[in-house]
Amino acid sequence: MVQLKTDTSIKAMREAGRVVAQLLAATREAAAVGVSLRELDEVAHGVLRTAGAGSPFLNYRPHFAPTPFPGVICASVNDAIVHGIPDDLRLRDGDLVSIDAGATLDGWCGDSAISFIVGRARPADTRLVETAFEALEAGIAAAVVGNRIGDIAHAIGTVCRTAGYGIPEGFGGHGIGRSMHEDPGVPNEGRPGRGMPLRHGMVLAIEPMLIGSGRDEYHPDRDGWTLRTSDGSRAAHAEHTVAITDDGPQILTAL
């Protein structure tokens, strides 16, 4: 069931979203050659503590997971698409990194993700990351009252496919509010004019995921969490929490 949020609730969610934005900015600034993913997770922990916020990621355990998630960020590097565990892996020059993070503040959740390159960037990686954010922007632009979920999915999918990138099937965005994952699901590819109508008060986490080779196949890593491209190609991920309002989409996870 979709829970419509009041304007007051959306304002509270913006505060949670601001913490997520601060967390991602601090993590991005700390990411450098030689820094471990665990150290990035510690930076994120610090931002949450300072803000008096909790993490909806830490100890989260969906049905597919063999263990509770051990960090407050998902740190996915190179061929990891999403759900990477922040471990002792140290970043190298040219690594493509995706950081997905959330915050819970006063009972409300925010969820966002960024992708970036550490050190010297390969042109193909730069294009992949830029396209992920272009797809996110297209999805947000379609998130208006009177449109449908399929319009968001179509906007994202069109950007990704036109650029020649793959889209991992079965993973996409979601509703968000008191819980990190709520109805409805928001696919990253679909037909316009289909699906649930968008209404004032809906809040969605819109999150395109792109596979650089153009293929859609992926597989879970041995840790049971990380999803990797099946051909070893690189991936990128971008996400914002967005409120659907009569005045247009409002990004709640921006600084």
Side-chain angles (χ1 to χ4, degrees), residues 180-242:
M180 181 170 58
H181 291 129
E182 297 182 353
D183 291 331
V186 186
N188 285 328
E189 191 169 31
R191 298 178 64 181
R194 299 295 182 92
M196 182 177 294
L198 303 180
R199 299 170 58 191
H200 179 90
M202 293 175 68
V203 182
L204 307 174
I206 299 173
E207 52 177 322
M209 306 167 195
L210 286 63
I211 297 176
S213 66
R215 298 179 61 184
D216 298 349
E217 293 79 17
Y218 62 90
H219 65 271
D221 204 346
R222 289 178 295 178
D223 61 24
W225 274 101
T226 309
L227 298 182
R228 296 190 181 277
T229 62
S230 292
D231 58 7
S233 62
R234 293 188 169 194
H237 178 203
E239 178 183 17
H240 270 310
T241 295
V242 180

Side-chain angles (χ1 to χ4, degrees), residues 77-81 94-98 114-117 121-136 159-161 163-168 208-215 229 231-238:
V77 180
N78 294 333
D79 65 328
I81 306 169
D95 277 346
L96 196 167
V97 182
S98 297
I114 58 173
S115 292
F116 55 88
I117 298 145
R122 301 187 302 184
D125 291 341
T126 299
R127 179 172 174 267
L128 178 61
V129 170
E130 288 176 347
T131 305
F133 285 103
E134 289 171 7
L136 175 59
V159 171
C160 297
R161 295 300 190 189
Y165 295 127
I167 301 171
M209 306 167 195
L210 286 63
I211 297 176
S213 66
R215 298 179 61 184
T229 62
D231 58 7
S233 62
R234 293 188 169 194
H237 178 203

Side-chain angles (χ1 to χ4, degrees), residues 59-152:
N59 294 321
Y60 180 60
R61 189 176 184 181
H63 65 88
F64 64 80
T67 58
F69 194 77
V72 301
I73 63 170
C74 293
S76 306
V77 180
N78 294 333
D79 65 328
I81 306 169
V82 287
H83 302 163
I85 291 176
D87 55 19
D88 292 323
L89 177 71
R90 294 194 176 275
L91 296 173
R92 297 173 298 178
D93 187 44
D95 277 346
L96 196 167
V97 182
S98 297
I99 303 292
D100 189 359
T104 303
L105 187 67
D106 296 328
W108 294 103
C109 295
D111 188 9
S112 185
I114 58 173
S115 292
F116 55 88
I117 298 145
V118 175
R120 292 168 293 183
R122 301 187 302 184
D125 291 341
T126 299
R127 179 172 174 267
L128 178 61
V129 170
E130 288 176 347
T131 305
F133 285 103
E134 289 171 7
L136 175 59
E137 291 172 0
I140 293 171
V144 297
V145 173
N147 272 358
R148 293 176 176 267
I149 292 291
D151 294 303
I152 299 175

